[in-house]
Amino acid sequence: GQQLNQSPQSMFIQEGEDVSMNCTSSSIFNTWLWYKQDPGEGPVLLIALYKAGELTSNGRLTAQFGITRKDSFLNISASIPSDVGIYFCAGTNTGNQFYFGTGTSLTVIP
Amino acid sequence: EAGVAQSPRYKIIEKRQSVAFWCNPISGHATLYWYQQILGQGPKLLIQFQNNGVVDDSQLPKDRFSAERLKGVDSTLKIQPAKLEDSAVYLCASSPRTTYNEQFFGPGTRLTVL
């Protein structure tokens, strides 16, 4: 089946640092979504992207829809302890099928 | 506004037993989704309902998994018989329309098959 690969798999950063993570696909996607999942909870949508090249911000979070439509990036600026969690990309391909990525686990050290 | 409710939160069964999960979506949400999330992986969409009709069940292992949404509101997901590899968190989500970016997820049911 479709695979959305995220990197890095895990990150350990100091509070206040900026974070970058990305998501790549072997095929073209029409939408990209970024979610955060806390332990014992379902994913919560952070940012949605709808067209190639689009750059969207939500507070300290910024995400971009890659020009090739096969990748997306998420940046978190000035990280804080509550940013800890697992970040998932997700998206719909040209067949309108929906997939989640493999996840990036973020640990913020105070 | 109440969120998506799921029960039970945890379930432990032995292989070859049957199990059922229940989901109550956000009031008024026409679309309901079931996902399987294996530890360390992202959620995988199993089935999507629009009201009480199935929109997509292409990734549902139909030999052992079944789901229904009889009145277009609550839904149940059943596994019969369970296998060890079915151990996972089963997430339910709902949205007002068939648009993935409007999904709200429930807390999930953690299934352990021994």
Side-chain angles (χ1 to χ4, degrees):
Chain A
Q2 176 69 54
Q3 185 93 352
L4 292 181
N5 294 309
Q6 290 186 241
S7 65
Q9 186 174 3
S10 61
M11 304 180 72
F12 294 81
I13 62 169
Q14 294 283 342
E15 182 177 357
E17 289 184 348
D18 296 344
V19 173
S20 292
M21 61 188 76
N22 73 308
C23 179
T24 59
S25 166
S26 57
S27 60
I28 290 172
F29 271 57
N30 289 333
T31 62
W32 288 99
L33 308 175
W34 284 93
Y35 291 86
K36 179 176 183 278
Q37 186 173 28
D38 292 327
E41 301 293 332
V44 174
L45 181 65
L46 300 173
I47 293 179
L49 302 160
Y50 301 103
K51 57 183 181 180
E54 180 180 356
L55 187 71
T56 298
S57 293
N58 178 8
R60 294 178 296 104
L61 277 63
T62 301
Q64 184 164 24
F65 194 135
I67 292 293
T68 66
R69 296 172 62 192
K70 291 184 178 181
D71 56 11
S72 180
F73 306 87
L74 176 70
N75 296 315
I76 305 172
S77 62
S79 58
I80 59 178
S82 61
D83 291 334
V84 166
I86 302 178
Y87 291 79
F88 288 101
C89 64
T92 52
N93 61 14
T94 53
N96 201 36
Q97 295 170 308
F98 184 67
Y99 297 97
F100 272 86
T102 50
T104 292
S105 175
L106 177 63
T107 300
V108 179
I109 303 166
Chain B
E1 178 182 80
V4 176
Q6 291 188 246
S7 67
R9 289 297 311 272
Y10 305 92
K11 189 73 176 179
I12 300 174
I13 63 173
E14 294 188 349
K15 60 183 179 183
R16 290 188 289 273
Q17 285 187 324
S18 301
V19 64
F21 313 124
W22 173 82
C23 173
N24 180 234
I26 293 173
S27 177
H29 280 195
T31 308
L32 185 146
Y33 315 78
W34 282 103
Y35 291 84
Q36 179 193 57
Q37 186 174 22
I38 293 172
L39 185 64
Q41 299 181 17
K44 182 180 81 170
L45 180 64
L46 294 176
I47 189 167
Q48 177 185 346
F49 291 95
Q50 176 76 11
N51 296 310
N52 61 349
V54 175
V55 174
D56 181 4
D57 63 356
S58 57
Q59 298 194 87
L60 185 74
K62 299 180 185 64
D63 58 333
R64 297 183 300 105
F65 286 65
S66 65
E68 60 184 11
R69 192 184 185 201
L70 291 176
K71 296 183 179 180
V73 181
D74 294 2
S75 177
T76 55
L77 177 69
K78 297 179 181 178
I79 307 175
Q80 180 179 10
K83 294 184 175 181
L84 297 177
E85 59 262 35
D86 298 332
S87 294
V89 174
Y90 291 85
L91 294 163
C92 178
S94 70
S95 62
R97 294 170 290 273
T98 311
T99 48
Y100 297 107
N101 62 311
E102 295 180 321
Q103 291 181 92
F104 290 86
F105 283 83
T109 296
R110 180 175 295 278
L111 173 67
T112 301
V113 182
L114 303 175

